[in-house]
Amino acid sequence: MKLTIVSNYINHHQIPMANELHQRLGDDFAFIQTAPMEEDRVKMGWGSEIQNIPYLKLYYEAQQSCADLILESDIVVFGGVEDESYIKPRLNAGKIVIRASERLYREGQWKSISPRGRKKKYEDHTQYADAPVYLLCHGAYVASDFELVRAYPDKKFVWGYFPAVNTYDLDNLFFRKQHVDGAGKTQVRLLWAGRFLQLKHPEYAIAAARFLKRQGISFHLDMVGGGVLEERLKCMTKRYLLENEVTFHGFATPQRVRKYMEEADIFLFTSNYLEGWGAVLNEAMNSACAVVAGHGIGAVPFLLKHGENGLVYKTGHFKEFQAHVYRLVQDEKLRKQLGTNAYHTMIKAWNPKEAADRLYRFSEGLLRGEVISERSGPLSAAPVIRPREGYLYTHKQFHAESSR
């Protein structure tokens, strides 16, 4: 079987699974990158991994050979590319295509009523309802968006990103998370990591820190990243007299971010609905952090069950977010319980090797004319969850099969 992935660029969230596929398929696996990586991501250290990747092909340097490979491969996984011209010849030829997509309507499903938008969605998606085209949903609300345009009926599957998953001795890892302040008192370490953008709401972390200080909690908040809101956040920190409790570390490499996670008790994930997936959630869970996350983030309903492996607040509800954080800083047992369960979620199903194995099985099935759906996790049938339902889903419905 010759399997090819086509995406705008490869990064550290995709390389581990791609490596697993290459190990299995050898020269019959390729990853085609259609565009150079954006400068701001390169500054974050995202581009350093792509040198000397044996299976990586650059469309903008070898257009004809890449176009031929897209058409000739047995299976093509296509996603992250807005220009449909890369995949149209294969679609027109009626060959198997597995699309991988984030949301169509992150800014609101009301946009689906646009006549111009509907025409475009029909051309790109709806007309292939009966064709051998399948959808991998990079986020919990993707299936709902595509349902609105009547695309891929009964052919939508749970998917996501699969950054490297590390195996830890949990006793040693939790020992690393033990900190004391200058007075010898136990200090809880909180972490926020990402770009300082409005959609990611890093100000939530600073505001929560202000509240914790007022309660007399011994804690420290590490802010890793940078962006347009950096000066505002630093001004908030100074205004709230948090200079001793909050440290700004600037941008860090993915490897360095993981080190911060390994030493953090609590990870704060505060993005809104514009966060299509959010692979930092995978990484924080793998690092056995107790996570507090908003339900509107694409990865959250797929990865988190409230009270079992993390705490989920209703996106936009700061008071609920703050209450979850306050609860965790006071309850070491709960932090360890959530962190342990989060770690096992990553180890058991949401890891690059398991994802590669499932994708391989799925692809082999398609070549035999079968659709092989997993019972849960990656490549299980994607539930249709509307954004307003995601909060309830994380609290009551997810992993219902475990109670059967």
Side-chain angles (χ1 to χ4, degrees):
M1 176 175 62
K2 183 174 287 189
L3 191 154
T4 298
I5 296 176
V6 184
S7 188
N8 52 356
Y9 53 74
I10 196 168
N11 59 48
H12 67 285
H13 296 153
Q14 298 164 303
I15 290 172
M17 188 190 74
N19 286 345
E20 294 287 346
L21 289 168
H22 180 247
Q23 185 173 341
R24 179 185 281 266
L25 291 167
D27 292 340
D28 284 334
F29 173 72
F31 191 111
I32 296 177
Q33 175 170 301
T34 62
M37 191 176 294
E38 300 104 314
E39 185 178 349
D40 62 338
R41 295 190 184 273
V42 173
K43 289 179 180 178
M44 294 170 64
W46 281 35
S48 59
E49 306 95 335
I50 71 170
Q51 299 182 16
N52 303 317
I53 296 178
Y55 51 80
L56 181 63
K57 302 182 185 301
L58 305 179
Y59 195 100
Y60 45 93
E61 292 184 2
Q63 182 172 341
Q64 190 57 55
S65 63
C66 286
D68 291 343
L69 183 58
I70 292 171
L71 189 59
E72 295 166 1
S73 295
D74 297 304
I75 301 287
V76 171
V77 181
F78 180 80
V81 184
E82 293 184 4
D83 187 347
E84 289 287 311
S85 66
Y86 293 100
I87 199 65
K88 278 297 182 184
R90 186 176 179 90
L91 289 169
N92 292 338
K95 294 190 173 184
I96 296 171
V97 173
I98 303 175
R99 284 188 174 272
S101 178
E102 293 189 5
R103 294 194 61 188
L104 293 175
Y105 305 114
R106 291 191 204 183
E107 296 177 359
Q109 291 187 332
W110 59 270
K111 289 199 168 187
S112 65
I113 65 174
S114 164
R116 180 180 297 179
R118 296 287 287 211
K119 181 175 183 294
K120 172 68 171 164
K121 299 304 182 293
Y122 177 83
E123 293 172 352
D124 294 346
H125 303 289
T126 311
Q127 68 169 316
Y128 301 107
D130 297 322
V133 186
Y134 307 84
L135 180 68
L136 302 182
C137 299
H138 279 287
Y141 308 114
V142 175
S144 177
D145 283 358
F146 278 92
E147 194 83 353
L148 290 174
V149 297
R150 303 180 185 277
Y152 315 116
D154 301 318
K155 296 189 292 182
K156 298 184 279 290
F157 300 90
V158 171
W159 199 241
Y161 293 100
F162 303 91
V165 166
N166 300 329
T167 302
Y168 298 101
D169 178 310
L170 284 181
D171 289 335
N172 290 338
L173 183 58
F174 282 120
F175 180 78
R176 290 178 59 189
K177 295 177 183 290
Q178 294 180 9
H179 303 277
V180 295
D181 60 19
K185 185 178 179 182
T186 298
Q187 183 184 70
V188 181
R189 302 287 296 208
L190 297 91
L191 173 65
W192 191 100
R195 288 180 290 170
F196 297 160
L197 304 176
Q198 188 60 49
L199 74 91
K200 294 179 180 288
H201 289 287
E203 74 279 3
Y204 273 32
I206 306 298
R210 181 192 191 190
F211 175 79
L212 294 180
K213 184 171 183 178
R214 287 177 168 177
Q215 308 311 309
I217 301 293
S218 179
F219 74 95
H220 194 87
L221 169 63
D222 291 300
M223 299 288 293
V224 179
V228 295
L229 297 181
E230 184 168 351
E231 197 57 38
R232 175 187 168 190
L233 296 172
K234 289 181 175 178
C235 286
M236 287 177 66
T237 300
K238 185 175 182 179
R239 184 166 69 250
Y240 297 156
L241 304 178
L242 293 170
E243 290 95 332
N244 293 328
E245 289 80 16
V246 179
T247 300
F248 289 87
H249 296 276
F251 284 120
T253 64
Q255 296 76 20
R256 186 61 187 155
V257 173
R258 288 297 287 261
K259 294 296 182 184
Y260 286 116
M261 290 176 173
E262 290 164 358
E263 297 182 358
D265 296 291
I266 302 169
F267 185 77
L268 310 176
F269 198 12
T270 54
S271 299
N272 63 22
Y273 292 101
L274 296 177
E275 188 76 71
W277 178 258
V280 290
L281 178 58
N282 302 60
E283 295 166 331
M285 293 174 69
N286 179 216
S287 303
C289 294
V291 175
V292 181
H295 87 276
I297 297 164
V300 167
F302 280 175
L303 299 185
L304 290 184
K305 181 179 180 182
H306 177 76
E308 180 176 305
N309 61 358
L311 297 181
V312 181
Y313 70 95
K314 189 172 290 186
T315 294
H317 289 235
F318 173 77
K319 290 295 185 181
E320 185 181 6
F321 164 77
Q322 180 175 271
H324 287 337
V325 175
Y326 186 49
R327 177 185 177 191
L328 284 177
V329 297
Q330 297 181 96
D331 193 337
E332 180 182 5
K333 182 179 179 181
L334 179 60
R335 294 198 302 269
K336 286 188 175 181
Q337 175 188 328
L338 297 179
T340 298
N341 291 341
Y343 171 78
H344 288 300
T345 300
M346 293 297 106
I347 290 294
K348 290 178 181 177
W350 287 90
N351 62 78
K353 185 178 187 310
E354 183 66 22
D357 288 346
R358 293 184 183 204
L359 181 59
Y360 183 86
R361 285 197 300 271
F362 185 75
S363 299
E364 277 199 320
L366 295 183
L367 291 175
R368 297 193 304 267
E370 303 176 42
V371 177
I372 300 174
S373 177
E374 305 288 340
R375 290 188 61 187
S376 63
L379 278 167
S380 60
V384 177
I385 313 168
R386 292 176 177 81
R388 65 177 180 272
E389 300 167 344
Y391 178 76
L392 178 63
Y393 191 76
T394 62
H395 280 59
K396 294 184 178 180
Q397 297 178 25
F398 194 48
H399 289 175
E401 68 276 0
S402 64
S403 63
R404 292 173 185 168

